[in-house]
C-alpha cells in the first residue's frame, strides 16, 4: 500500500468518525429550551437535564445549525445537477443512431408482417 493510499484511508476513517460523532451528538439526548416564548431544540451527547444556556449561546447554536443546512444545500444542488447532466449525456451517447449512405436515419426500419 502506497503512502497516498494510506493517507486516503486515514482521511476516510477520520471523516467517518466525524460524521458518526456529529450525527450521534445531534440525535442523542435532544431537549428543549424556551427563550422569550420561542422553543429552541438542540442536543448534547450527554443527558444533563439541569443545565442552562445563555440567550447568546442559544442564538449561536441556531445560527450554526442554519449555516450548516444552507451550506450543505448550496453544495449539494450543483453536485446533483452535474450528476443529472452526466447521466443524461451518457444516455444520449449510448443511444444507437443508424447511419445510412452518409446521413443519419432517425426513422424505424420497415416491419414485415
Amino acid at each position: 500500500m502506497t503512502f497516498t493510499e494510506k493517507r486516503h484511508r486515514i482521511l476516510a476513517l477520520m471523516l467517518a468518525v466525524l460524521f458518526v460523532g456529529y450525527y450521534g451528538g445531534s440525535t442523542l439526548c435532544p431537549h428543549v429550551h424556551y427563550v422569550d416564548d420561542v422553543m429552541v431544540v438542540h442536543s448534547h451527547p450527554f443527558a444533563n437535564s439541569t443545565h442552562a444556556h445563555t440567550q447568546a449561546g442559544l442564538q449561536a447554536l441556531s445560527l450554526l445549525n442554519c449555516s450548516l443546512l444552507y451550506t450543505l444545500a448550496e453544495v449539494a444542488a450543483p453536485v446533483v445537477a452535474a450528476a443529472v447532466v452526466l447521466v443524461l449525456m451518457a444516455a444520449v451517447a449510448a443511444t444507437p443512431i443508424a447511419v445510412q449512405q452518409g446521413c443519419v436515419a432517425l426513422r424505424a426500419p420497415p416491419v414485415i408482417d
Side-chain angles (χ1 to χ4, degrees):
M1 185 181 306
T2 65
F3 174 74
T4 304
E5 290 174 347
K6 286 181 184 178
R7 185 175 58 179
H8 285 173
R9 287 183 186 231
I10 290 171
L11 287 174
L13 182 64
M14 288 172 56
L15 285 174
V17 168
L18 179 67
F19 172 76
V20 168
Y22 178 76
Y23 187 75
S26 64
T27 56
L28 299 173
C29 307
H31 57 276
V32 178
H33 295 280
Y34 291 96
V35 177
D36 298 330
D37 295 331
V38 175
M39 182 173 59
V40 179
V41 180
H42 70 281
S43 63
H44 299 285
F46 54 87
N48 184 0
S49 60
T50 61
H51 77 282
H53 296 284
T54 64
Q55 187 171 3
L58 289 173
Q59 287 176 349
L61 284 170
S62 177
L63 287 174
L64 177 65
N65 288 335
C66 289
S67 66
L68 285 174
L69 288 176
Y70 288 129
T71 303
L72 290 175
E74 289 174 357
V75 169
V79 170
V80 170
V84 168
V85 167
L86 287 174
V87 167
L88 291 176
M89 288 176 59
V92 168
T95 304
I97 298 176
V99 177
Q100 294 177 350
Q101 299 174 354
C103 67
V104 176
L106 294 177
R107 65 184 187 103
V111 176
I112 299 174
D113 289 325

